Amino acid sequence: MSRKALSIYIHVPFCRSRCGYCDFLTLAGADGRTDDYVTALQKDIFQSRDEFADHQIETVFLGGGTPSLLSLLQLADILCALRNNFNLAQNCHMSIEANPDTVSEEYLQSLWMMGFRRISFGVQSFDDGLLELMGRLHDAEKACNAVRLAHKAGFDDISLDLIFALPHQTLENFDKSLETALNLPITHISCYALSVEDGTPLAANKALVDAIPDDMQDRDMYALAGKKLAQAGFKHYEISNWAKVGFECRHNLSYWIGQEYLGLGLGASSYFGGKRRKKTDCLDDYISGNLAFAHEEEIDKSTQMAEFALLGLRLTEGISLNGFKNRFGQDIFDVYGEALNKFMAQGLLAQKGDKIALTTKGLDLSNTVFCDFL
């Protein structure tokens, strides 16, 4: 019997401190509760096993927060629970996020021995002044050292995140961060424009908000990233992601192509069986055993089609026309023909064979395109 493919995301919400721009579900100063949290996670995994007995786990991703704040024993307990309760594919790809200030050579070697094969570092910048401004706890030297130690430990799939359009950042400054990144043994890089989210300390700091580069500078930085990364042999495969050939993030690709996924842990989201589901975001509730989904939403066919189109257009290879028809039983032009034809006429989309994708111009104006599919 063939098993259905499934990806698993495990949320680890703990952080040493909360960055001023962050609006993710993270908790600072709760280090003493990690043992209770891991125990609850193990129960969460166990209670999910029967519903997914006919699934095969293709990818596992530990994200946060800062998963590398967990001890090696805690991580081992999580992986043991996964292996004992789910059908992990022989080549199941396991990833973990880490902050440079939380890892040592021994820790990284142990991650490799446990079975993690991809590590993603939240570097954000290689400028010490900007790192301090954002509330990051590492400096550029520590970030570089963490990447080198991971490579020495056996990781040949290393990703890092960079944020551009930071307050007071110049094109030259971002260029230096890109150069530093490209001199490290990385295979993947994510470049995101700074987003000012309501309710964050950054949003409340008018001086910093006013010092954020304007839209033109923002786009210049994005274009610079694309140019330099292409020259260094990185393929632009998703709006904000570049990878060496064969090192695209398998877990995130499963989201973008619309596969089912299970989220475990505080506030984790899932999508399976035509429903979107979410765990409680209250740590006390989760640790006390409130592990059922706190929210469930039936996703109708119209919404599923819209999400398939939106997520597919994030990929530079675009949407498969046959893939859309096989999945929904309708031609994509019968559903979205007006929008597709309009944006192709404007040079924001282009069709090549079975695929419709954003053009270079369209990548810069992707939000304009996406609005017509909502």
Side-chain angles (χ1 to χ4, degrees):
M1 179 185 72
S2 62
R3 298 184 185 275
K4 302 175 185 176
L6 185 75
S7 292
I8 291 180
Y9 172 79
I10 296 178
H11 189 61
V12 180
F14 306 104
C15 284
R16 283 182 172 165
S17 65
R18 188 174 178 85
C19 299
Y21 56 86
C22 178
D23 73 332
F24 294 140
L25 179 54
T26 60
L27 303 168
D31 295 3
R33 311 197 71 183
T34 56
D35 278 338
D36 290 339
Y37 185 74
V38 170
T39 298
L41 258 179
Q42 290 173 284
K43 293 178 182 176
D44 201 355
I45 291 167
F46 177 77
Q47 291 183 14
S48 303
R49 61 183 288 178
D50 291 341
E51 187 163 10
F52 298 97
D54 62 343
H55 288 69
Q56 178 168 275
I57 311 307
E58 302 292 338
T59 68
V60 173
F61 194 104
L62 271 68
T66 311
S68 53
L69 279 180
L70 295 184
S71 70
L72 294 170
L73 180 58
Q74 289 170 331
L75 289 171
D77 285 344
I78 294 170
L79 295 187
C80 184
L82 284 172
R83 289 175 171 132
N84 288 340
N85 291 285
F86 286 94
N87 301 298
L88 270 62
Q90 188 173 358
N91 66 339
C92 179
H93 198 241
M94 297 203 300
S95 306
I96 186 168
E97 292 182 338
N99 278 346
D101 58 289
T102 62
V103 296
S104 64
E105 184 172 0
E106 178 187 4
Y107 190 91
L108 292 164
Q109 289 172 344
S110 297
L111 292 180
W112 174 261
M113 294 297 292
M114 286 180 193
F116 288 104
R117 290 297 177 262
R118 183 179 189 274
I119 189 164
S120 178
F121 287 108
V123 173
Q124 318 311 359
S125 175
F126 287 100
D127 180 280
D128 288 346
L130 290 177
L131 288 169
E132 183 177 357
L133 188 69
M134 291 188 292
R136 304 297 290 175
L137 299 180
H138 64 272
D139 57 21
E141 182 180 357
K142 190 168 287 186
C144 291
N145 190 49
V147 172
R148 294 188 185 106
L149 287 177
H151 189 255
K152 182 180 178 182
F155 286 95
D156 61 0
D157 193 349
I158 302 173
S159 178
L160 58 81
D161 295 345
L162 290 181
I163 298 178
F164 60 89
L166 295 165
H168 303 293
Q169 189 176 38
T170 64
L171 187 64
E172 292 73 23
N173 174 278
F174 182 54
D175 189 18
K176 289 180 181 178
S177 279
L178 287 169
E179 286 286 347
T180 302
L182 292 173
N183 282 318
L184 294 170
I186 62 169
T187 51
H188 187 284
I189 188 165
S190 301
C191 291
Y192 304 103
L194 178 67
S195 179
V196 180
E197 303 294 343
D198 291 341
T200 61
L202 173 62
N205 191 323
K206 186 177 184 302
L208 284 183
V209 172
D210 288 345
I212 292 173
D214 61 28
D215 289 345
M216 184 173 294
Q217 293 169 308
D218 175 305
R219 293 300 84 193
D220 285 344
M221 292 180 189
Y222 182 71
L224 177 67
K227 178 182 177 181
K228 293 189 79 75
L229 290 167
Q231 291 171 345
F234 286 75
K235 177 188 176 185
H236 191 188
Y237 73 98
E238 192 271 344
I239 287 178
S240 301
N241 290 274
W242 289 257
K244 293 287 183 71
V245 175
F247 290 96
E248 298 84 359
C249 181
R250 282 175 53 188
H251 183 84
N252 287 345
L253 277 171
S254 71
Y255 297 155
W256 295 322
I257 63 176
Q259 290 184 351
E260 293 187 323
Y261 57 91
L262 170 65
L264 300 166
L266 190 70
S269 296
S270 301
Y271 175 71
F272 59 88
K275 291 184 179 181
R276 191 164 22 245
R277 311 161 202 244
K278 189 175 182 295
K279 299 283 186 175
T280 178
D281 58 7
C282 174
L283 182 63
D284 288 335
D285 284 353
Y286 188 78
I287 285 177
S288 67
N290 181 10
L291 306 175
F293 291 107
H295 175 75
E296 291 191 356
E297 176 189 3
E298 190 87 34
I299 308 301
D300 60 27
K301 182 180 177 181
S302 175
T303 303
Q304 288 184 40
M305 288 191 293
E307 291 182 354
F308 184 89
L310 285 168
L311 292 171
L313 285 175
R314 291 193 63 87
L315 296 170
T316 56
E317 70 173 24
I319 311 168
S320 164
L321 306 185
N322 287 328
F324 187 93
K325 190 167 187 176
N326 291 338
R327 185 159 186 159
F328 300 110
Q330 291 179 258
D331 189 295
I332 194 170
F333 278 95
D334 291 338
V335 182
Y336 297 116
E338 182 178 350
L340 293 172
N341 288 322
K342 177 179 74 173
F343 291 124
M344 284 194 286
Q346 293 175 2
L348 302 182
L349 291 176
Q351 181 177 353
K352 186 176 181 181
D354 178 54
K355 298 292 180 71
I356 292 180
L358 291 168
T359 61
T360 300
K361 179 182 176 183
L363 287 169
D364 264 344
L365 299 171
S366 58
N367 287 337
T368 301
V369 177
F370 294 163
C371 284
D372 273 33
F373 292 88
L374 296 175

